[in-house]
Amino acid sequence: MPNAAAHAGAILTIDLDAVAANWRLLRDRLGRAECAAVLKADAYGLGLAPVARRLAREGCRSFFVAQAGEALSLRALLPEADIYVLNGLAHGAEADYAAHGLRPVLNTLDEIARWRVACRAAGAALPAVLNIDTGMARLGLAPDEVDALANEPAGLEGIRVVYTMSHMACAYARANPMNESQRRLFDAARSRLPPCSASFANSPGIFLGPEYHYDLARPGAALFGLQPQSGEPNPMAQVVRLQGKILQLRRVDRGMTVGYGATHRFAEPRLLATVAVGYGDGYFRTLGNRGSGFIGDIRVPVVGRISMDLVTFDVTDAPGRETVPGATIDIVGPGHDVDALAAEAGTIGYEVLTALGSRYHRVYLGAGR
Ligand SMILES: *Cc1c(COP(=O)(O)O)cnc(C)c1O
């Protein structure tokens, strides 16, 4: 075992072949629409560089990040890619966007005006995306701003608008009527603006049917194995495995308690394993007395509170040869995916992934070269 792996409290294995397989599955489902990749927040916590390189190798050409800084990091990795900045045109960074070929998602009339100026300064109609708010009320042009633009199309002069886009609020819930109402609002707004390609679907949106696909889809979560549609089977390949190391075994007697606050009292003698993962690694404190580890297919429950660097599992039911110091417990693994961990923690898989700690030893499968 290389030393870094020996020093770490847990091994985080990220399967890039599974990321690639997930991108191909989405691409095939999209048919004629292009499949981009959303790699904000360090590729959902899994590592911008390895993920971006693998997807580019797979044939992905369009990438979305949230911030200009993320876009510059990505530009250094992928000189040829189309890189979009979801959070828009950062004040004072207009020339950087132009110099590095970053494509802002224009969210306000002010951003449109500033990009027009940047295009004039560059002497070229530089590409950008126009974001129309259809119900998120977060980023994008409000209805009155769409009106203003529709009545004054010169506002877009000198800009190469490559897509109009919008973002869905409830796409993970197939039956939610908001999906169709947002789509109708999107179509209505688009019909009033100069004709242009369109982008609408995030990961769950891709699974709502071809009328949601338009010309370019923007999946993030599904690339990393998260379930796209709640309450339906998950068609995505699992990408993440997290194996926490057992530091110590501890026999406890009836009447004893474990951890801060003494929140769990044992009714009978049990065997505990203390594992080197805690809330300082993004293993949420809400998992205290609720979370699960797995040893093979045997569930070993979290007992007591989560500490900063430690968690205790009740491993009484696991085979003795598997419960020794240095052995590992699957915190995320074949029998317990990120979504399952998130459900126990009272959150969503997105938050589990983006919280994955910096102390884990990371192993990338399928990175190539
Ligand atoms: C994050 C994000 C996406 C990707 O969403 P997933 O649910 O992770 O597929 C797409 N579009 C926008 C605007 C986003 O902010």
Side-chain angles (χ1 to χ4, degrees):
M1 196 185 281
N3 265 352
H7 297 167
I11 311 297
L12 176 64
T13 305
I14 295 161
D15 185 346
L16 297 172
D17 289 332
V19 175
N22 287 337
W23 185 80
R24 291 193 306 266
L25 184 150
L26 298 172
R27 178 200 64 190
D28 294 348
R29 190 168 255 273
L30 283 166
R32 279 181 35 250
E34 184 184 340
C35 190
V38 180
L39 303 186
K40 59 200 184 193
D42 199 30
Y44 289 53
L46 298 183
L48 180 65
V51 170
R53 284 202 190 97
R54 186 68 174 83
L55 286 173
R57 183 141 62 88
E58 213 58 35
C60 183
R61 290 183 289 110
S62 300
F63 297 85
F64 288 78
V65 291
Q67 302 182 351
E70 297 177 316
L72 289 172
S73 304
L74 190 53
R75 174 56 76 215
L77 295 162
L78 302 178
E80 307 287 328
D82 293 342
I83 299 175
Y84 298 89
V85 184
L86 289 166
N87 283 6
L89 185 58
H91 274 275
E94 295 85 354
D96 294 335
Y97 283 62
H100 296 277
L102 309 182
R103 303 179 165 197
V105 171
L106 301 172
N107 291 313
T108 65
L109 294 178
D110 172 66
E111 290 183 1
I112 293 171
R114 284 190 286 117
W115 194 238
R116 228 172 35 227
V117 172
C119 289
R120 208 176 309 132
L126 300 174
V129 172
L130 208 55
N131 187 20
I132 298 168
D133 177 35
T134 55
M136 281 293 278
R138 196 178 66 166
L139 291 176
L141 300 173
D144 61 313
E145 294 175 307
V146 175
D147 286 344
L149 210 51
N151 296 330
E152 189 56 58
L156 293 171
E157 235 162 53
I159 297 177
R160 182 156 77 90
V161 179
V162 286
Y163 295 101
T164 49
M165 67 166 263
S166 192
H167 191 46
M168 303 184 71
C170 306
Y172 58 88
R174 182 180 301 286
N176 195 309
M178 188 147 178
N179 297 328
E180 197 188 326
S181 75
Q182 279 195 278
R183 189 165 58 74
R184 288 182 189 281
L185 288 171
F186 185 49
D187 289 343
R190 285 198 323 124
S191 71
R192 304 178 55 212
L193 297 170
C196 180
S197 297
S199 175
F200 193 59
N202 53 359
S203 301
I206 293 171
F207 292 85
L208 294 179
E211 67 273 34
Y212 288 84
H213 292 171
Y214 293 89
D215 302 295
L216 177 82
R218 310 184 307 272
L223 297 172
F224 308 115
L226 299 186
Q227 173 163 330
Q229 282 293 328
S230 62
E232 297 183 13
N234 185 355
M236 312 316 297
Q238 287 312 299
V239 169
V240 170
R241 184 169 190 186
L242 179 61
Q243 298 164 284
K245 288 188 204 164
I246 298 176
L247 300 174
Q248 180 175 333
L249 280 302
R250 180 77 162 87
R251 285 193 186 282
V252 290
D253 295 327
R254 186 174 113 85
M256 283 184 64
T257 65
V258 58
Y260 287 118
T263 59
H264 184 90
R265 186 176 299 275
F266 297 98
E268 56 183 7
R270 304 296 286 175
L271 178 65
L272 308 187
T274 304
V275 167
V277 167
Y279 61 77
D281 301 294
Y283 192 68
F284 299 121
R285 201 162 167 278
T286 50
L287 290 160
N289 289 315
R290 300 189 53 149
S292 307
F294 277 80
I295 294 178
D297 54 10
I298 296 172
R299 177 176 180 264
V300 293
V302 171
V303 284
R305 286 193 182 150
I306 311 300
S307 302
M308 187 183 294
D309 315 294
L310 299 169
V311 51
T312 39
F313 294 95
D314 182 336
V315 297
T316 315
D317 297 337
R321 67 190 137 73
E322 312 259 13
T323 50
V324 294
T328 63
I329 292 180
D330 273 327
I331 291 173
V332 174
H336 195 53
D337 64 17
V338 175
D339 291 307
L341 173 66
E344 289 175 341
T347 182
I348 55 173
Y350 297 65
E351 191 179 23
V352 170
L353 289 182
T354 52
L356 285 169
S358 56
R359 293 191 293 188
Y360 298 143
H361 177 69
R362 292 182 172 223
V363 176
Y364 286 94
L365 306 179
R369 286 163 296 153

